[in-house]
């Protein structure tokens, strides 16, 4: 970070339009440097330094009290035989596909349905969007009331004559994970919809006009205009979804804590309970590294995109 | 909801399409609002009513007592104050720091400005799990473990990168000429920042404030990482506690959820336009 204090390059001649963007003075004033350094310091203390430590701790065995002992790749070798880890990884992948895929598809569907400005459309958009502002904890509690053995869902099933489907949705190993995905989707779809709505607004209407003239039907217009035009939004949605999936914690933690018998365990909840409840901080760090590696591909591609846009 | 915009002269087909739209979209909206309505209704029912008739039945009682119970006995009052004590300074400081960095990076030819920008964004994109253990140990080391400033610190540190990135994009779009004119008039960087760039960046700042308010207010993970005592927990953690304290007393739990959701819903309803703009600002840049 010391590089920052190096003086800014001097431009050879005043008249050269080098500062095409930054119209400021050629030499960086100290205040401007401070403007960058202070926030960077805040992030360094709470993010960069802890991240480096996290990578180191992944190579240790540590109970949080006695000094950590270095075990090299031992934690990662242990994972290969850890059934809970393996099933949590499977659940995380399933979560990515189901939660991610469905929120992208349904979010796009909702955006297509609600894209046209017409009477009442603002209300519908707001209704779909409202859950985005709820905390996942509050969301989870709402759905817990719905999933209870004596809850709304079972009462509903009973009243329409499907009483045989009554179920302890969250307590059953076969349904817990899927039952947790539904509230997560309920909250995420509105968010994805907003992203797609903005993307659809950016499509030039002349393209549709031209296609109509050429006799393209509604499906052809969607397939050959909308889909290609949404390519950059798709990239954003994909990044948001993967990052959100790997971070997903609150909703699972407040609904099931990963249970019953780890049947709704994600890597994030397993990492948390390993570290802070079983106090196996080294192994927990190693699990965090796995989450990091899974997220890294997406982060990297997101950064590459940002890199291109930043200049 | 089934109001159609079709005039009597409009072709019948168009009217049918409009009706179909409102039917479909209306059904979707009802489906989405139903869980929210369920909580609101449940929070106003008595325990005996729910115990006797079930959660899904038509309400047969009306009481505001559940809110009192959640508010006082359930400790939600304190938790809500904690949440606001963390959220308001976090939002203010994060945005102030991010605006400073974005100003410097977007308006001056610093060395490595692109790399710095991406480094800061990258920090925000890291999965928080990798930071949990070190952050909790770090706050112990700094003597701030189990204090609200620790939570404020980590919210700032973890959030700032993303806001720098967004504000940078916004500030770069401000024409150079405005700044050059100020320089000719003898304005220093501080005056340019304070009197010119910040006022021009107001829409972006408003959007990000609305967004970051809900994010920080709704956070659970960081709170349970750096806090331990119940008296300091924010509303999200308190809500989980409430669930443990009032097992299957859905009337009190629902009242608690309403209290926990009220501030962010209020922000959303008041700043809906900014809020939606903020999400797009962040993503579809």
């Amino acid at each position: 970070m010391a590089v920052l204090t190096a003086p800014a390059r001097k431009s050879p001649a005043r008249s050269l339009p080098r500062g095409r963007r930054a119209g400021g003075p050629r030499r960086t004033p100290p205040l401007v440097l401070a403007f960058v350094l202070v926030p960077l310091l805040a992030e360094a203390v709470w993010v960069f330094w802890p991240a480096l430590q996290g990578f180191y701790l992944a190579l240790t065995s540590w109970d949080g009290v006695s000094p950590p002992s270095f075990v090299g790749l031992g934690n990662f070798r242990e994972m290969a035989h850890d059934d809970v880890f393996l099933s949590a990884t499977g659940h995380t992948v399933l979560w990515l596909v189901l939660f991610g895929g469905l929120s992208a598809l349904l979010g796009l569907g909702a955006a297509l349905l609600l894209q046209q400005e017409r009477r009442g459309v603002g209300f519908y958009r707001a209704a779909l969007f409202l859950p985005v502002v709820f905390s996942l904890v509050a969301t989870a509690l709402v759905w817990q009331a719905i999933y209870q053995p004596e809850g709304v869902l079972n009462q509903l099933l009973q009243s329409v004559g499907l009483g045989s489907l009554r179920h302890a949705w969250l307590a059953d190993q076969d349904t817990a994970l899927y039952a947790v995905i539904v509230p997560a989707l309920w909250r995420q779809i509105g968010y994805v919809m907003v992203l797609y709505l903005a993307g659809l607004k950016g499509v030039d209407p002349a393209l549709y006009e031209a296609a109509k003239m050429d006799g393209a039907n509604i499906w052809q217009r969607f397939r050959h205009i909308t889909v290609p035009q949404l390519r950059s939004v798709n990239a954003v949605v994909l990044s948001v979804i993967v990052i959100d999936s790997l971070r997903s914690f609150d909703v699972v933690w407040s609904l099931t804590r990963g249970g019953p018998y780890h049947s709704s365990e994600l890597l994030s909840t397993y990492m948390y309970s390993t570290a802070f409840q079983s106090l196996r901080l080294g192994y927990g760090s190693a699990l965090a590294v796995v989450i990091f590696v899974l997220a890294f591909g997406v982060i990297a591609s997101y950064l590459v995109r940002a890199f291109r846009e930043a200049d | 909801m089934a109001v159609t915009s079709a005039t009597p002269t409009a072709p019948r087909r168009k009217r049918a399409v409009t009706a179909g739209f409102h039917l479909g979209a209306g059904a979707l909206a009802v489906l989405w609002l139903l869980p929210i309505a369920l909580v609101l209704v449940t929070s106003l029912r008595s325990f005996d009513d729910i115990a006797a008739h079930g959660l899904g039945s038509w309400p047969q009682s009306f009481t505001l007592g559940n809110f009192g119970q959640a508010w006082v006995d359930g400790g939600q009052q304190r938790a809500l104050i904690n949440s606001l004590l963390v959220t308001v300074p976090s939002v203010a400081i994060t945005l102030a720091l991010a605006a400073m960095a974005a100003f410097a990076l977007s308006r001056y030819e610093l060395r490595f400005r692109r790399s710095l920008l991406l480094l800061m964004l990258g920090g925000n994109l890291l999965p928080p799990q990798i930071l949990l253990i070190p952050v909790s140990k770090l706050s112990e080391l700094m003597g701030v473990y189990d204090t609200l400033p620790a939570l404020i610190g980590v919210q700032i540190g973890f959030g700032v990168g993303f806001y720098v990135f967004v504000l940078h994009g916004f500030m770069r779009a401000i024409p150079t000429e405005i700044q050059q004119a100020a320089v000719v008039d003898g304005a220093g960087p501080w005056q340019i920042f304070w009197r010119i760039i910040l006022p021009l960046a107001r829409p972006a700042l408003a959007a990000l404030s609305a967004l970051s308010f809900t994010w920080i207010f709704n956070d659970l993970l960081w709170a349970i990482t750096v806090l331990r005592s119940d008296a300091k927990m924010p509303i999200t953690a308190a809500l989980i506690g409430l669930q443990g304290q009032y097992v299957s007393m859905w009337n009190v739990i629902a009242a608690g959820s309403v209290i926990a959701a009220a501030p962010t819903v209020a922000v959303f309803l008041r700043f809906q336009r900014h809020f939606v703009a903020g999400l797009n600002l962040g993503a579809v840049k």
Side-chain angles (χ1 to χ4, degrees), chain A residues 10 15-16 21 49 67 156 196 256 288:
Chain A
K10 280 187 193 158
S15 55
L16 266 179
R21 274 277 162 200
W49 173 238
L156 198 72
Y196 275 125
T256 64

Side-chain angles (χ1 to χ4, degrees), chain A residues 18 21-23 25 28 43 50 113 119 124 129 133 135 142 144 155 186 247 257 268 292 299 307 309, chain B residues 21-22 32 39 54 56 107 109-110 114 118 120 124-126 129 134 172 176 218 240 243 264 268 285:
Chain A
R18 283 196 58 239
R21 274 277 162 200
T28 314
E43 196 171 357
L113 180 68
R119 196 182 294 182
Y124 299 133
F129 190 68
V133 304
S135 68
V142 176
Q144 197 154 45
Q155 282 184 330
W186 177 70
R247 283 183 179 177
R257 306 212 170 198
S268 60
F292 169 79
I299 295 176
F307 201 81
E309 282 173 4
Chain B
F21 164 77
H22 285 288
W32 242 249
V39 188
R107 312 299 295 182
E109 293 247 331
L110 295 171
R114 216 155 67 143
L118 294 173
M120 295 185 85
N124 179 262
L125 294 178
L126 277 180
Q129 284 85 3
R172 261 168 56 89
T176 330
N218 286 338
I240 295 188
Q243 187 195 9
T264 51
F268 169 66
K285 252 229 69 222

Side-chain angles (χ1 to χ4, degrees), chain B residues 180-192:
Chain B
Q180 276 164 347
V183 173
V184 170
D185 288 345
W190 175 257
Q191 278 150 326
I192 298 173

Side-chain angles (χ1 to χ4, degrees), chain A residues 243-295:
Chain A
I243 292 171
D244 280 357
S245 300
L246 289 166
R247 283 183 179 177
S248 289
F249 172 81
D250 310 32
V251 70
V252 185
W253 193 252
S254 28
L255 272 176
T256 64
R257 306 212 170 198
Y261 306 106
H262 302 294
S263 62
S264 61
E265 196 83 82
L266 298 182
L267 281 174
S268 60
T269 55
Y270 186 47
M271 183 268 151
Y272 186 85
S273 59
T274 307
F276 293 101
Q277 295 187 326
S278 317
L279 289 180
R280 300 194 56 206
L281 299 181
Y283 194 57
S285 299
L287 290 168
V289 168
V290 171
I291 297 174
F292 169 79
V293 170
L294 288 176

Side-chain angles (χ1 to χ4, degrees), chain B residues 99-120:
Chain B
M100 281 160 41
F103 168 71
L105 292 171
S106 67
R107 312 299 295 182
Y108 291 86
E109 293 247 331
L110 295 171
R111 265 192 182 203
F112 308 113
R113 55 192 195 86
R114 216 155 67 143
S115 318
L116 282 173
L117 188 66
L118 294 173
L119 181 71
M120 295 185 85

